[in-house]
Amino acid sequence: MAEGYESPKDWLGQVKGSAADAKKIHDAANKQRRAAETIPKILSVKDIQNGKWDADRTLMTTLGGVLREITQEDLKAFKENIKTVKDNFTGGMTAQQIINHSQQIDRERASKQITMATPVSASKGTVRFITNAGGETKGVHRHHVTVEFLRYESEASSADTNKKQAANRLRNSPLKIDCDCGRFRFWYSYIASIGGFKLGTQESGFPKIRNAKLNGVGCKHLLRVMQEIRTGGAITMFLAKQMEKGKAHDENKAASYTSQKEAEKITKSQAKRTSDKHAVKIKAAIEKARKENPKETKKKAYGTKAAKPNPRATDPHAQMRLMLKQMGQTDAQIEAMIAASIAAQGK
Ligand SMILES: [Zn+2]
């Protein structure tokens, strides 16, 4: 495995206990979200539909590329963007459709940085996957992606007894999705909520700063899992096992767990499958970076392994800077946004 990438040991961790880990992350996110509601900075669907909000609430947007105050025209644009999402996504989203509607940047990150996605547990038609984190946040090695196969119940109760065929039909049927990373939470969970394919807690706050155009649907972790669902392999076996339990009409036993040994076996075979392709891609990226900017080769090729000390330790806005940079904002725009955010917090 190339330098700068997490080894499977780092991110897979212990499968046993990973459900508790997933729950802890989920609860922390919910707590943070509830705390945010007391700060009147969230723009709700109601605000957008009504076309007004309290005059003492200064709301900002980056629609148009620069951070500024929201106008009535923006509300109309937001309303239009919501309508587009609703028009495009009604009737459920399959793994293929989620990939098709995602942003190019997330698809690229999924194929470059997320080497493995392993189904670790299931309850009826809801399957939890662990993926490697992709190395953008220090200390975070893995993420939990949860997928509900919406046709599970109807497949389980159908007279057709071929569980493998049923599993394959499920792979191509509509899903509900969730990932516990920040990219999904802050960019896409609102889109998935209004599109009717967000699993779990629904997000009602319009992403006016991060994704006012409502582009894309999934983070790199989710997209890697969608790829896994689309192409089959371990997930087909996993779903077939679930189907067998479902068809036996034993509701209490309609749960599956992947043992540590099985999980490691799956990740090993995935690593084998992706490593050649992966090595070629990394090599090409390094070459390209070397040509474009000889001094920055290491940073560009590996993303997170900059030679400099971690700036986040001293700069409280490093995370925001990094995020805005990834959104394609210029340095001047980023500084303006941070200044505005400091001012807003001071109020
Ligand atoms: Zn994610």
Side-chain angles (χ1 to χ4, degrees), residues 7-203:
S7 76
K9 260 214 165 80
D10 277 344
W11 67 264
L12 183 64
Q14 290 298 314
V15 169
K16 209 178 157 195
S18 70
D21 187 24
K23 188 178 180 300
K24 214 167 92 187
I25 297 168
H26 182 259
D27 290 349
N30 264 354
K31 199 175 159 198
Q32 205 183 350
R33 180 65 182 72
R34 279 196 303 274
E37 295 202 351
T38 61
I39 307 166
K41 294 291 177 196
I42 289 174
L43 185 65
S44 69
V45 176
K46 211 174 101 204
D47 290 325
I48 295 171
Q49 301 298 355
N50 293 345
K52 58 186 172 195
W53 65 93
D54 296 342
D56 56 350
R57 263 169 84 197
T58 310
L59 296 176
M60 312 290 280
T61 183
T62 53
L63 196 69
V66 185
L67 189 75
R68 53 175 178 77
E69 275 188 36
I70 284 173
T71 65
Q72 285 297 326
E73 283 304 304
D74 292 328
L75 288 191
K76 276 184 206 151
F78 295 165
K79 211 168 164 179
E80 220 20 67
N81 294 346
I82 290 172
K83 189 178 175 297
T84 306
V85 166
K86 286 188 171 172
D87 288 350
N88 279 335
F89 299 156
T90 47
M93 294 277 275
T94 65
Q96 184 64 62
Q97 283 168 326
I98 290 166
I99 293 171
N100 294 348
H101 286 282
S102 64
Q103 294 202 56
Q104 180 66 18
I105 179 87
D106 292 305
R107 283 197 294 263
E108 277 173 19
R109 285 178 188 154
S111 71
K112 280 183 190 157
Q113 302 169 359
I114 311 305
T115 50
M116 282 157 278
T118 305
V120 290
S121 66
S123 171
K124 295 185 187 172
T126 303
V127 181
R128 189 166 55 84
F129 294 77
I130 296 180
T131 77
N132 61 310
E136 280 179 13
T137 308
K138 209 172 180 248
V140 176
H141 296 303
R142 62 179 181 179
H143 281 291
H144 305 273
V145 172
T146 320
V147 176
E148 184 185 352
F149 294 83
L150 297 176
R151 300 230 175 107
Y152 173 84
E153 296 288 347
S154 66
E155 283 292 350
S157 58
S158 109
D160 185 349
T161 53
N162 189 321
K163 54 185 202 291
K164 200 166 174 207
Q165 278 177 12
N168 277 326
R169 280 195 297 272
L170 282 185
R171 292 199 300 108
N172 296 304
S173 67
L175 311 169
K176 280 193 179 184
I177 53 173
D178 192 29
C179 179
D180 64 5
C181 77
R183 174 85 170 167
F184 184 71
R185 236 177 104 198
F186 299 120
W187 270 259
Y188 301 129
S189 62
Y190 178 80
I191 297 172
S193 297
I194 61 169
F197 56 96
K198 166 81 171 70
L199 184 61
T201 314
Q202 304 295 299
E203 176 56 66

Side-chain angles (χ1 to χ4, degrees), residues 15 120 257-264:
V15 169
V120 290
Y257 300 93
T258 306
S259 71
Q260 186 73 24
K261 211 171 140 192
E262 282 171 326
E264 281 172 13

Side-chain angles (χ1 to χ4, degrees), residues 172-329:
N172 296 304
S173 67
L175 311 169
K176 280 193 179 184
I177 53 173
D178 192 29
C179 179
D180 64 5
C181 77
R183 174 85 170 167
F184 184 71
R185 236 177 104 198
F186 299 120
W187 270 259
Y188 301 129
S189 62
Y190 178 80
I191 297 172
S193 297
I194 61 169
F197 56 96
K198 166 81 171 70
L199 184 61
T201 314
Q202 304 295 299
E203 176 56 66
S204 59
F206 187 90
K208 56 199 186 302
I209 305 273
R210 283 156 171 133
N211 195 5
K213 286 188 176 168
L214 302 184
N215 284 334
V217 291
C219 60
K220 59 189 177 186
H221 317 106
L222 251 167
L223 293 179
R224 183 64 184 77
V225 168
M226 293 305 115
Q227 194 67 22
E228 201 59 28
I229 291 172
R230 203 183 61 82
T231 54
I235 185 64
T236 311
M237 306 288 290
F238 196 89
L239 286 174
K241 205 162 90 182
Q242 273 301 93
M243 268 321 6
E244 191 175 10
K245 290 178 181 177
K247 285 188 181 299
H249 298 293
D250 191 347
E251 297 255 317
N252 294 327
K253 285 186 184 160
S256 296
Y257 300 93
T258 306
S259 71
Q260 186 73 24
K261 211 171 140 192
E262 282 171 326
E264 281 172 13
K265 205 170 128 196
I266 293 169
T267 59
K268 233 180 239 169
S269 81
Q270 284 181 339
K272 222 184 219 167
R273 220 172 348 123
T274 51
S275 64
D276 291 349
K277 207 169 72 185
H278 201 61
V280 171
K281 277 186 184 163
I282 293 168
K283 222 172 153 188
I286 294 169
E287 276 308 310
K288 191 166 170 260
R290 202 171 270 157
K291 274 184 202 151
E292 281 169 4
N293 191 348
K295 277 184 190 166
E296 282 205 75
T297 301
K298 195 166 180 200
K299 199 177 166 192
K300 276 200 177 175
Y302 297 126
T304 56
K305 293 275 169 178
K308 281 182 279 180
N310 180 11
R312 270 172 240 168
T314 49
D315 180 3
H317 297 101
Q319 181 76 33
M320 192 174 175
R321 274 201 180 88
L322 181 71
M323 216 170 56
L324 293 167
K325 196 93 188 163
Q326 283 165 357
M327 287 165 67
Q329 306 291 333

